[in-house]
Amino acid sequence: MSTLFTPLKLRSLQIPNRVWMSPMCTYSAAPAGPETGAPTNFHLAHLASRAVGGAGLVMAEATGVRPDGRISPWDLGLWNDRQQEAFARITDAIKAHGAVPAIQLAHAGRKASVDKPWLSDRYVPGTEGGWQPVAPSAIAYDGLAVPHELTVDEIQQLVRDFADSALRALAAGFQVAEVHGAHGYLINSFLSPASNHRTDAYGGGFENRIRFALEVVDAVRAVWPEDLPVFFRTSATDWLTENPEDSREGWTGEDTVRLAKELTAHGVDLLDVSTGGMVRDAKIVAGPGYQVPFAAQARQATGIPTGAVGIITDPHQAEEIVTSGQADAVLLGRELLRDPYWAQHAALELGVEPRWPDQYAYVVKRAPSRPRTP
């Protein structure tokens, strides 16, 4: 029996397996007009195909809780009826193919209003449809615009914006809401001393720097059904303190353990553990499973269920991660872009019957098997 292909129950929600699709921005929404921020036919095909491909949970990419919370003018948003209606079509398709639909609610903070990454990484000014980014402190991300330092009233409005988007996500049919607290975006920039230089209740010591994150979680949890889970994505480290040549103060794995304990107390059901994104020049030694130890550290220290990410490409590697208790699930990104049917192929490799749709199964089961190609 493969642990990777056993269900995981969080609250009353049973997720059919531990192979999940990680949220990945595709920069494919309309930048202006009545369809601004709404998912398109591309998003429908992109997300539903991974459900057909056997993923147990399919998470929609970082979705802005307000127009100026998007990473780029081409990102998804969830602040109006049209966006909500378009998402409902997608959640129906994901559920129809046996997967759980999830959404990552986000605000890009000081990394907002940038170009599509395959064109450039430049800031998009207001004259080209962009906007001024916001942050806990007026400290620019390298090469981007200096952000507006948020007032306390503006911070409280952002908390309400997350709750409003969570309500819309529920109405659109999502069963998991993930709060995006990673990769240098707004919540992460409050957490890290590298980007938060405030001296009020939202800055300074650890308890103040995590205040905004907990307020957002509380607001989302208050409107999200008691029987459905809330996730939190974290960057477990800024990769600053790991470099002895870097004197900058940053967020650490130990900080993540402390935060995980608080998140558990505030109703978070799973910690989705990534790393980095706070500074452009962080020295990261990447390799297969390089971020998994951070998920294992949080899980072992606090008991919170975790999701592991980062160059997880082989079925046996993924099986070992969950079987050994390093994480409760693996979230695949690039590997599911390369192969939307990775989960089905992994099931075969691990001796498990794939969850093919009926339209495929009667053909696939008759066809002679062949080795997986890289």
Side-chain angles (χ1 to χ4, degrees), residues 32-112:
E35 299 297 317
T36 300
T40 66
N41 286 337
F42 171 83
H43 297 96
L44 173 63
H46 171 63
L47 295 168
S49 65
R50 273 66 190 181
V52 173
L57 177 144
V58 175
M59 191 175 297
E61 64 199 68
T63 300
V65 298
R66 51 186 290 144
D68 60 1
R70 294 169 294 162
I71 300 169
S72 83
W74 298 273
D75 277 319
L76 293 177
L78 188 47
W79 63 80
N80 66 34
D81 291 345
R82 177 67 193 104
Q83 296 158 349
Q84 180 179 312
E85 292 164 1
F87 271 120
R89 182 174 171 227
I90 291 172
T91 60
D92 284 347
I94 292 171
K95 292 174 184 174
H97 293 292
V100 168
I103 187 168
Q104 185 182 71
L105 301 176
H107 191 296
R110 67 180 189 157
K111 296 174 77 173

Side-chain angles (χ1 to χ4, degrees), residues 12-51:
S12 69
L13 181 66
Q14 184 153 289
I15 304 169
N17 63 46
R18 318 299 182 93
V19 180
W20 300 352
M21 180 180 178
S22 199
M24 294 171 282
C25 290
T26 57
Y27 308 94
S28 299
E35 299 297 317
T36 300
T40 66
N41 286 337
F42 171 83
H43 297 96
L44 173 63
H46 171 63
L47 295 168
S49 65
R50 273 66 190 181

Side-chain angles (χ1 to χ4, degrees), residues 163-244:
D164 290 345
S165 280
L167 275 173
R168 288 189 176 278
L170 181 66
F174 286 102
Q175 294 173 289
V176 174
E178 175 169 278
V179 175
H180 195 350
H183 301 157
Y185 298 123
L186 185 63
I187 293 175
N188 190 207
S189 67
F190 270 89
L191 295 174
S192 176
S195 52
N196 185 347
H197 293 186
R198 298 177 75 97
T199 57
D200 64 1
Y202 290 94
F206 178 85
E207 289 76 12
N208 283 357
R209 285 186 282 109
I210 69 170
R211 188 182 307 276
F212 177 57
L214 296 182
E215 287 180 351
V216 169
V217 166
D218 286 345
V220 171
R221 185 74 268 179
V223 301
W224 201 248
E226 184 65 26
D227 62 337
L228 292 178
V230 170
F231 295 177
F232 187 95
R233 173 162 267 200
T234 182
S235 279
T237 177
D238 294 339
W239 293 104
L240 296 178
T241 58
E242 287 81 359
N243 180 7

Side-chain angles (χ1 to χ4, degrees), residues 110-124:
R110 67 180 189 157
K111 296 174 77 173
S113 192
V114 297
D115 203 355
K116 295 179 181 181
W118 56 85
L119 297 178
S120 73
D121 60 357
R122 71 181 181 89
Y123 169 65
V124 177

Side-chain angles (χ1 to χ4, degrees), residues 131-149:
W131 52 89
Q132 183 183 22
V134 300
S137 303
I139 303 170
Y141 184 76
D142 186 29
L144 299 183
V146 175
H148 161 69
E149 183 171 313

